[in-house]
Amino acid sequence: MTPPAHRRRGMVRSYTVTGGRATPSRTSLDEATLLIADHKMPLTGLNPHAHRVMDLCLPGVLSVAEVGHHLQLPGAVTKVIVSGLVDSGHLVARSPVPAAQQHDMALLERILDALHAL
């Protein structure tokens, strides 16, 4: 007989990984948010998952989704860990540059005509 999920070896509850926090402190984080590690911040005192996030991000920039994939954790749990590291100054979070928007050609032509009239 297979033991219940909460008793299987290797399974860790989400609240254990996040230190009991259920929601991230930052609502601006999404899967595409880019994470940049501050090389000057000490890693002592970080829990194992936070330390692993820093190990992943120190060589370069990673997205929240990439970090979650490497940690093999759900996105919501990853966001809680990452938001704690952003709060402590270990990570800087940057939203990706939005796609270029279409310009209103009629408006641009009126602006150009007005500039020519000066």
mmCIF file of all heavy atoms in Angstrom, residues 47-92:
data_model
loop_
_atom_site.group_PDB
_atom_site.id
_atom_site.type_symbol
_atom_site.label_atom_id
_atom_site.label_comp_id
_atom_site.label_asym_id
_atom_site.label_seq_id
_atom_site.Cartn_x
_atom_site.Cartn_y
_atom_site.Cartn_z
ATOM 1 N N ASN A 47 17.969 30.549 3.957
ATOM 2 C CA ASN A 47 17.522 29.157 3.995
ATOM 3 C C ASN A 47 18.009 28.450 2.732
ATOM 4 O O ASN A 47 18.432 29.102 1.768
ATOM 5 C CB ASN A 47 16.006 29.063 4.193
ATOM 6 C CG ASN A 47 15.223 29.508 2.983
ATOM 7 O OD1 ASN A 47 15.534 29.180 1.847
ATOM 8 N ND2 ASN A 47 14.169 30.268 3.220
ATOM 9 N N PRO A 48 17.985 27.130 2.698
ATOM 10 C CA PRO A 48 18.547 26.406 1.546
ATOM 11 C C PRO A 48 17.942 26.792 0.200
ATOM 12 O O PRO A 48 18.664 26.895 -0.793
ATOM 13 C CB PRO A 48 18.257 24.937 1.869
ATOM 14 C CG PRO A 48 18.163 24.889 3.355
ATOM 15 C CD PRO A 48 17.568 26.215 3.761
ATOM 16 N N HIS A 49 16.631 27.028 0.145
ATOM 17 C CA HIS A 49 16.019 27.386 -1.136
ATOM 18 C C HIS A 49 16.439 28.783 -1.578
ATOM 19 O O HIS A 49 16.713 29.016 -2.758
ATOM 20 C CB HIS A 49 14.494 27.269 -1.061
ATOM 21 C CG HIS A 49 14.032 25.853 -1.076
ATOM 22 N ND1 HIS A 49 13.851 25.127 0.072
ATOM 23 C CD2 HIS A 49 13.740 25.025 -2.098
ATOM 24 C CE1 HIS A 49 13.456 23.901 -0.245
ATOM 25 N NE2 HIS A 49 13.380 23.815 -1.553
ATOM 26 N N ALA A 50 16.484 29.721 -0.659
ATOM 27 C CA ALA A 50 16.922 31.077 -0.992
ATOM 28 C C ALA A 50 18.387 31.061 -1.423
ATOM 29 O O ALA A 50 18.769 31.753 -2.378
ATOM 30 C CB ALA A 50 16.724 32.008 0.201
ATOM 31 N N HIS A 51 19.188 30.267 -0.754
ATOM 32 C CA HIS A 51 20.602 30.149 -1.123
ATOM 33 C C HIS A 51 20.727 29.584 -2.533
ATOM 34 O O HIS A 51 21.552 30.048 -3.334
ATOM 35 C CB HIS A 51 21.329 29.259 -0.109
ATOM 36 C CG HIS A 51 22.809 29.426 -0.122
ATOM 37 N ND1 HIS A 51 23.610 28.859 -1.084
ATOM 38 C CD2 HIS A 51 23.629 30.120 0.710
ATOM 39 C CE1 HIS A 51 24.859 29.178 -0.847
ATOM 40 N NE2 HIS A 51 24.904 29.944 0.234
ATOM 41 N N ARG A 52 19.909 28.603 -2.857
ATOM 42 C CA ARG A 52 19.931 27.998 -4.210
ATOM 43 C C ARG A 52 19.528 29.025 -5.262
ATOM 44 O O ARG A 52 20.120 29.077 -6.344
ATOM 45 C CB ARG A 52 19.002 26.789 -4.240
ATOM 46 C CG ARG A 52 18.907 26.118 -5.586
ATOM 47 C CD ARG A 52 20.133 25.289 -5.891
ATOM 48 N NE ARG A 52 19.904 24.580 -7.153
ATOM 49 C CZ ARG A 52 20.678 24.712 -8.214
ATOM 50 N NH1 ARG A 52 21.744 25.464 -8.183
ATOM 51 N NH2 ARG A 52 20.395 24.069 -9.322
ATOM 52 N N VAL A 53 18.525 29.851 -4.960
ATOM 53 C CA VAL A 53 18.109 30.906 -5.899
ATOM 54 C C VAL A 53 19.289 31.836 -6.164
ATOM 55 O O VAL A 53 19.568 32.197 -7.313
ATOM 56 C CB VAL A 53 16.901 31.705 -5.363
ATOM 57 C CG1 VAL A 53 16.632 32.932 -6.219
ATOM 58 C CG2 VAL A 53 15.668 30.820 -5.301
ATOM 59 N N MET A 54 19.996 32.211 -5.115
ATOM 60 C CA MET A 54 21.152 33.090 -5.294
ATOM 61 C C MET A 54 22.241 32.414 -6.114
ATOM 62 O O MET A 54 22.833 33.032 -7.000
ATOM 63 C CB MET A 54 21.702 33.535 -3.931
ATOM 64 C CG MET A 54 20.770 34.456 -3.184
ATOM 65 S SD MET A 54 20.382 35.975 -4.075
ATOM 66 C CE MET A 54 21.990 36.771 -4.080
ATOM 67 N N ASP A 55 22.491 31.137 -5.871
ATOM 68 C CA ASP A 55 23.471 30.389 -6.669
ATOM 69 C C ASP A 55 23.092 30.389 -8.146
ATOM 70 O O ASP A 55 23.950 30.501 -9.019
ATOM 71 C CB ASP A 55 23.593 28.945 -6.178
ATOM 72 C CG ASP A 55 24.346 28.814 -4.876
ATOM 73 O OD1 ASP A 55 25.064 29.768 -4.488
ATOM 74 O OD2 ASP A 55 24.211 27.754 -4.227
ATOM 75 N N LEU A 56 21.789 30.269 -8.413
ATOM 76 C CA LEU A 56 21.317 30.257 -9.802
ATOM 77 C C LEU A 56 21.449 31.623 -10.465
ATOM 78 O O LEU A 56 21.778 31.722 -11.645
ATOM 79 C CB LEU A 56 19.851 29.810 -9.854
ATOM 80 C CG LEU A 56 19.568 28.354 -9.520
ATOM 81 C CD1 LEU A 56 18.071 28.148 -9.301
ATOM 82 C CD2 LEU A 56 20.083 27.452 -10.629
ATOM 83 N N CYS A 57 21.190 32.691 -9.698
ATOM 84 C CA CYS A 57 21.142 34.037 -10.279
ATOM 85 C C CYS A 57 22.492 34.760 -10.291
ATOM 86 O O CYS A 57 22.652 35.713 -11.050
ATOM 87 C CB CYS A 57 20.124 34.888 -9.532
ATOM 88 S SG CYS A 57 18.427 34.332 -9.761
ATOM 89 N N LEU A 58 23.440 34.335 -9.477
ATOM 90 C CA LEU A 58 24.723 35.041 -9.420
ATOM 91 C C LEU A 58 25.472 35.065 -10.758
ATOM 92 O O LEU A 58 26.043 36.085 -11.107
ATOM 93 C CB LEU A 58 25.608 34.480 -8.307
ATOM 94 C CG LEU A 58 25.277 35.030 -6.918
ATOM 95 C CD1 LEU A 58 26.008 34.251 -5.841
ATOM 96 C CD2 LEU A 58 25.608 36.506 -6.824
ATOM 97 N N PRO A 59 25.476 33.984 -11.538
ATOM 98 C CA PRO A 59 26.206 34.055 -12.805
ATOM 99 C C PRO A 59 25.570 34.981 -13.852
ATOM 100 O O PRO A 59 26.239 35.442 -14.761
ATOM 101 C CB PRO A 59 26.194 32.620 -13.320
ATOM 102 C CG PRO A 59 25.836 31.771 -12.160
ATOM 103 C CD PRO A 59 25.031 32.635 -11.243
ATOM 104 N N GLY A 60 24.279 35.242 -13.747
ATOM 105 C CA GLY A 60 23.608 36.065 -14.751
ATOM 106 C C GLY A 60 22.148 36.270 -14.412
ATOM 107 O O GLY A 60 21.714 36.008 -13.303
ATOM 108 N N VAL A 61 21.410 36.713 -15.378
ATOM 109 C CA VAL A 61 19.994 37.038 -15.199
ATOM 110 C C VAL A 61 19.142 35.809 -15.504
ATOM 111 O O VAL A 61 19.355 35.132 -16.501
ATOM 112 C CB VAL A 61 19.596 38.202 -16.138
ATOM 113 C CG1 VAL A 61 18.125 38.526 -16.016
ATOM 114 C CG2 VAL A 61 20.450 39.419 -15.861
ATOM 115 N N LEU A 62 18.170 35.542 -14.629
ATOM 116 C CA LEU A 62 17.197 34.471 -14.848
ATOM 117 C C LEU A 62 15.801 35.012 -14.602
ATOM 118 O O LEU A 62 15.620 35.943 -13.818
ATOM 119 C CB LEU A 62 17.432 33.302 -13.884
ATOM 120 C CG LEU A 62 18.590 32.363 -14.160
ATOM 121 C CD1 LEU A 62 18.646 31.278 -13.087
ATOM 122 C CD2 LEU A 62 18.479 31.722 -15.513
ATOM 123 N N SER A 63 14.824 34.413 -15.246
ATOM 124 C CA SER A 63 13.433 34.779 -14.995
ATOM 125 C C SER A 63 12.905 33.984 -13.810
ATOM 126 O O SER A 63 13.481 32.957 -13.423
ATOM 127 C CB SER A 63 12.575 34.496 -16.231
ATOM 128 O OG SER A 63 12.450 33.102 -16.422
ATOM 129 N N VAL A 64 11.804 34.437 -13.249
ATOM 130 C CA VAL A 64 11.154 33.715 -12.150
ATOM 131 C C VAL A 64 10.788 32.305 -12.607
ATOM 132 O O VAL A 64 10.974 31.340 -11.862
ATOM 133 C CB VAL A 64 9.912 34.487 -11.643
ATOM 134 C CG1 VAL A 64 9.110 33.657 -10.657
ATOM 135 C CG2 VAL A 64 10.326 35.814 -11.025
ATOM 136 N N ALA A 65 10.309 32.165 -13.838
ATOM 137 C CA ALA A 65 9.935 30.843 -14.355
ATOM 138 C C ALA A 65 11.146 29.916 -14.427
ATOM 139 O O ALA A 65 11.042 28.727 -14.079
ATOM 140 C CB ALA A 65 9.303 30.985 -15.737
ATOM 141 N N GLU A 66 12.284 30.437 -14.856
ATOM 142 C CA GLU A 66 13.490 29.615 -14.934
ATOM 143 C C GLU A 66 13.945 29.168 -13.546
ATOM 144 O O GLU A 66 14.336 28.011 -13.351
ATOM 145 C CB GLU A 66 14.617 30.386 -15.623
ATOM 146 C CG GLU A 66 14.379 30.608 -17.103
ATOM 147 C CD GLU A 66 15.380 31.561 -17.715
ATOM 148 O OE1 GLU A 66 15.624 32.647 -17.135
ATOM 149 O OE2 GLU A 66 15.912 31.216 -18.780
ATOM 150 N N VAL A 67 13.878 30.074 -12.582
ATOM 151 C CA VAL A 67 14.260 29.734 -11.212
ATOM 152 C C VAL A 67 13.333 28.640 -10.684
ATOM 153 O O VAL A 67 13.783 27.656 -10.100
ATOM 154 C CB VAL A 67 14.236 30.981 -10.299
ATOM 155 C CG1 VAL A 67 14.360 30.594 -8.838
ATOM 156 C CG2 VAL A 67 15.348 31.946 -10.697
ATOM 157 N N GLY A 68 12.033 28.792 -10.887
ATOM 158 C CA GLY A 68 11.073 27.776 -10.455
ATOM 159 C C GLY A 68 11.344 26.421 -11.081
ATOM 160 O O GLY A 68 11.240 25.386 -10.423
ATOM 161 N N HIS A 69 11.713 26.434 -12.355
ATOM 162 C CA HIS A 69 12.027 25.184 -13.043
ATOM 163 C C HIS A 69 13.241 24.514 -12.406
ATOM 164 O O HIS A 69 13.231 23.313 -12.131
ATOM 165 C CB HIS A 69 12.282 25.439 -14.526
ATOM 166 C CG HIS A 69 12.805 24.241 -15.239
ATOM 167 N ND1 HIS A 69 12.005 23.175 -15.573
ATOM 168 C CD2 HIS A 69 14.054 23.926 -15.662
ATOM 169 C CE1 HIS A 69 12.742 22.254 -16.180
ATOM 170 N NE2 HIS A 69 13.992 22.690 -16.245
ATOM 171 N N HIS A 70 14.291 25.282 -12.156
ATOM 172 C CA HIS A 70 15.501 24.722 -11.548
ATOM 173 C C HIS A 70 15.239 24.210 -10.133
ATOM 174 O O HIS A 70 15.816 23.203 -9.719
ATOM 175 C CB HIS A 70 16.624 25.754 -11.519
ATOM 176 C CG HIS A 70 17.237 26.010 -12.855
ATOM 177 N ND1 HIS A 70 18.016 25.098 -13.525
ATOM 178 C CD2 HIS A 70 17.186 27.102 -13.659
ATOM 179 C CE1 HIS A 70 18.416 25.594 -14.668
ATOM 180 N NE2 HIS A 70 17.922 26.819 -14.779
ATOM 181 N N LEU A 71 14.402 24.913 -9.392
ATOM 182 C CA LEU A 71 14.082 24.491 -8.022
ATOM 183 C C LEU A 71 13.052 23.365 -7.988
ATOM 184 O O LEU A 71 12.838 22.752 -6.951
ATOM 185 C CB LEU A 71 13.540 25.673 -7.205
ATOM 186 C CG LEU A 71 14.491 26.828 -6.947
ATOM 187 C CD1 LEU A 71 13.778 27.925 -6.168
ATOM 188 C CD2 LEU A 71 15.727 26.361 -6.203
ATOM 189 N N GLN A 72 12.368 23.147 -9.107
ATOM 190 C CA GLN A 72 11.280 22.176 -9.203
ATOM 191 C C GLN A 72 10.187 22.485 -8.189
ATOM 192 O O GLN A 72 9.689 21.617 -7.474
ATOM 193 C CB GLN A 72 11.802 20.753 -9.057
ATOM 194 C CG GLN A 72 12.743 20.362 -10.161
ATOM 195 C CD GLN A 72 13.212 18.927 -10.048
ATOM 196 O OE1 GLN A 72 13.062 18.273 -9.026
ATOM 197 N NE2 GLN A 72 13.782 18.428 -11.131
ATOM 198 N N LEU A 73 9.829 23.787 -8.134
ATOM 199 C CA LEU A 73 8.778 24.263 -7.232
ATOM 200 C C LEU A 73 7.697 24.957 -8.044
ATOM 201 O O LEU A 73 7.968 25.520 -9.108
ATOM 202 C CB LEU A 73 9.354 25.259 -6.224
ATOM 203 C CG LEU A 73 10.316 24.704 -5.179
ATOM 204 C CD1 LEU A 73 10.926 25.846 -4.378
ATOM 205 C CD2 LEU A 73 9.599 23.726 -4.260
ATOM 206 N N PRO A 74 6.469 24.966 -7.543
ATOM 207 C CA PRO A 74 5.396 25.705 -8.222
ATOM 208 C C PRO A 74 5.718 27.199 -8.284
ATOM 209 O O PRO A 74 6.456 27.733 -7.434
ATOM 210 C CB PRO A 74 4.169 25.457 -7.336
ATOM 211 C CG PRO A 74 4.513 24.287 -6.495
ATOM 212 C CD PRO A 74 5.998 24.270 -6.355
ATOM 213 N N GLY A 75 5.152 27.871 -9.268
ATOM 214 C CA GLY A 75 5.389 29.300 -9.450
ATOM 215 C C GLY A 75 5.047 30.127 -8.232
ATOM 216 O O GLY A 75 5.782 31.053 -7.872
ATOM 217 N N ALA A 76 3.947 29.814 -7.570
ATOM 218 C CA ALA A 76 3.532 30.590 -6.396
ATOM 219 C C ALA A 76 4.555 30.482 -5.270
ATOM 220 O O ALA A 76 4.860 31.469 -4.597
ATOM 221 C CB ALA A 76 2.162 30.126 -5.912
ATOM 222 N N VAL A 77 5.103 29.308 -5.071
ATOM 223 C CA VAL A 77 6.106 29.104 -4.034
ATOM 224 C C VAL A 77 7.393 29.829 -4.408
ATOM 225 O O VAL A 77 8.024 30.491 -3.578
ATOM 226 C CB VAL A 77 6.359 27.597 -3.802
ATOM 227 C CG1 VAL A 77 7.485 27.371 -2.810
ATOM 228 C CG2 VAL A 77 5.084 26.908 -3.349
ATOM 229 N N THR A 78 7.782 29.723 -5.669
ATOM 230 C CA THR A 78 8.980 30.419 -6.154
ATOM 231 C C THR A 78 8.850 31.922 -5.946
ATOM 232 O O THR A 78 9.803 32.585 -5.519
ATOM 233 C CB THR A 78 9.212 30.097 -7.643
ATOM 234 O OG1 THR A 78 9.334 28.680 -7.795
ATOM 235 C CG2 THR A 78 10.462 30.774 -8.170
ATOM 236 N N LYS A 79 7.676 32.475 -6.226
ATOM 237 C CA LYS A 79 7.466 33.920 -6.065
ATOM 238 C C LYS A 79 7.609 34.349 -4.613
ATOM 239 O O LYS A 79 8.115 35.433 -4.330
ATOM 240 C CB LYS A 79 6.089 34.322 -6.602
ATOM 241 C CG LYS A 79 6.000 34.287 -8.101
ATOM 242 C CD LYS A 79 4.603 34.645 -8.556
ATOM 243 C CE LYS A 79 4.411 34.371 -10.027
ATOM 244 N NZ LYS A 79 3.037 34.651 -10.451
ATOM 245 N N VAL A 80 7.179 33.513 -3.667
ATOM 246 C CA VAL A 80 7.325 33.852 -2.247
ATOM 247 C C VAL A 80 8.807 33.901 -1.879
ATOM 248 O O VAL A 80 9.268 34.837 -1.219
ATOM 249 C CB VAL A 80 6.572 32.841 -1.350
ATOM 250 C CG1 VAL A 80 6.892 33.065 0.115
ATOM 251 C CG2 VAL A 80 5.065 32.941 -1.584
ATOM 252 N N ILE A 81 9.571 32.910 -2.314
ATOM 253 C CA ILE A 81 11.006 32.879 -2.023
ATOM 254 C C ILE A 81 11.704 34.072 -2.662
ATOM 255 O O ILE A 81 12.487 34.772 -2.016
ATOM 256 C CB ILE A 81 11.629 31.554 -2.517
ATOM 257 C CG1 ILE A 81 11.032 30.370 -1.761
ATOM 258 C CG2 ILE A 81 13.150 31.589 -2.369
ATOM 259 C CD1 ILE A 81 11.356 29.025 -2.376
ATOM 260 N N VAL A 82 11.414 34.324 -3.937
ATOM 261 C CA VAL A 82 12.047 35.418 -4.672
ATOM 262 C C VAL A 82 11.680 36.770 -4.066
ATOM 263 O O VAL A 82 12.538 37.643 -3.912
ATOM 264 C CB VAL A 82 11.662 35.349 -6.165
ATOM 265 C CG1 VAL A 82 11.995 36.635 -6.895
ATOM 266 C CG2 VAL A 82 12.352 34.165 -6.831
ATOM 267 N N SER A 83 10.423 36.953 -3.693
ATOM 268 C CA SER A 83 10.019 38.253 -3.137
ATOM 269 C C SER A 83 10.749 38.536 -1.831
ATOM 270 O O SER A 83 11.122 39.680 -1.555
ATOM 271 C CB SER A 83 8.504 38.330 -2.942
ATOM 272 O OG SER A 83 8.069 37.429 -1.953
ATOM 273 N N GLY A 84 11.007 37.498 -1.032
ATOM 274 C CA GLY A 84 11.786 37.680 0.188
ATOM 275 C C GLY A 84 13.205 38.123 -0.111
ATOM 276 O O GLY A 84 13.768 38.980 0.587
ATOM 277 N N LEU A 85 13.789 37.574 -1.172
ATOM 278 C CA LEU A 85 15.147 37.960 -1.561
ATOM 279 C C LEU A 85 15.193 39.366 -2.155
ATOM 280 O O LEU A 85 16.167 40.089 -1.975
ATOM 281 C CB LEU A 85 15.722 36.936 -2.543
ATOM 282 C CG LEU A 85 16.066 35.582 -1.930
ATOM 283 C CD1 LEU A 85 16.335 34.544 -3.015
ATOM 284 C CD2 LEU A 85 17.242 35.702 -0.977
ATOM 285 N N VAL A 86 14.129 39.765 -2.826
ATOM 286 C CA VAL A 86 14.055 41.148 -3.330
ATOM 287 C C VAL A 86 13.912 42.102 -2.143
ATOM 288 O O VAL A 86 14.588 43.137 -2.081
ATOM 289 C CB VAL A 86 12.893 41.315 -4.335
ATOM 290 C CG1 VAL A 86 12.692 42.776 -4.704
ATOM 291 C CG2 VAL A 86 13.143 40.471 -5.591
ATOM 292 N N ASP A 87 13.062 41.747 -1.185
ATOM 293 C CA ASP A 87 12.870 42.581 0.009
ATOM 294 C C ASP A 87 14.166 42.774 0.788
ATOM 295 O O ASP A 87 14.426 43.847 1.321
ATOM 296 C CB ASP A 87 11.813 41.974 0.932
ATOM 297 C CG ASP A 87 10.412 42.014 0.342
ATOM 298 O OD1 ASP A 87 10.185 42.778 -0.618
ATOM 299 O OD2 ASP A 87 9.548 41.275 0.845
ATOM 300 N N SER A 88 14.991 41.725 0.859
ATOM 301 C CA SER A 88 16.238 41.801 1.626
ATOM 302 C C SER A 88 17.366 42.469 0.844
ATOM 303 O O SER A 88 18.429 42.708 1.408
ATOM 304 C CB SER A 88 16.662 40.395 2.064
ATOM 305 O OG SER A 88 17.058 39.624 0.940
ATOM 306 N N GLY A 89 17.144 42.739 -0.440
ATOM 307 C CA GLY A 89 18.180 43.371 -1.255
ATOM 308 C C GLY A 89 19.113 42.397 -1.945
ATOM 309 O O GLY A 89 20.043 42.802 -2.634
ATOM 310 N N HIS A 90 18.878 41.095 -1.781
ATOM 311 C CA HIS A 90 19.715 40.097 -2.432
ATOM 312 C C HIS A 90 19.484 40.043 -3.937
ATOM 313 O O HIS A 90 20.399 39.754 -4.697
ATOM 314 C CB HIS A 90 19.471 38.713 -1.834
ATOM 315 C CG HIS A 90 20.089 38.526 -0.498
ATOM 316 N ND1 HIS A 90 19.473 38.932 0.672
ATOM 317 C CD2 HIS A 90 21.282 38.003 -0.130
ATOM 318 C CE1 HIS A 90 20.260 38.644 1.696
ATOM 319 N NE2 HIS A 90 21.363 38.084 1.241
ATOM 320 N N LEU A 91 18.240 40.297 -4.345
ATOM 321 C CA LEU A 91 17.880 40.277 -5.763
ATOM 322 C C LEU A 91 17.247 41.598 -6.167
ATOM 323 O O LEU A 91 16.590 42.255 -5.355
ATOM 324 C CB LEU A 91 16.859 39.168 -6.058
ATOM 325 C CG LEU A 91 17.299 37.728 -5.968
ATOM 326 C CD1 LEU A 91 16.106 36.801 -6.200
ATOM 327 C CD2 LEU A 91 18.404 37.420 -6.957
ATOM 328 N N VAL A 92 17.428 41.941 -7.432
ATOM 329 C CA VAL A 92 16.713 43.055 -8.044
ATOM 330 C C VAL A 92 15.782 42.432 -9.080
ATOM 331 O O VAL A 92 16.204 41.569 -9.859
ATOM 332 C CB VAL A 92 17.690 44.042 -8.728
ATOM 333 C CG1 VAL A 92 16.942 45.115 -9.477
ATOM 334 C CG2 VAL A 92 18.631 44.642 -7.695
#
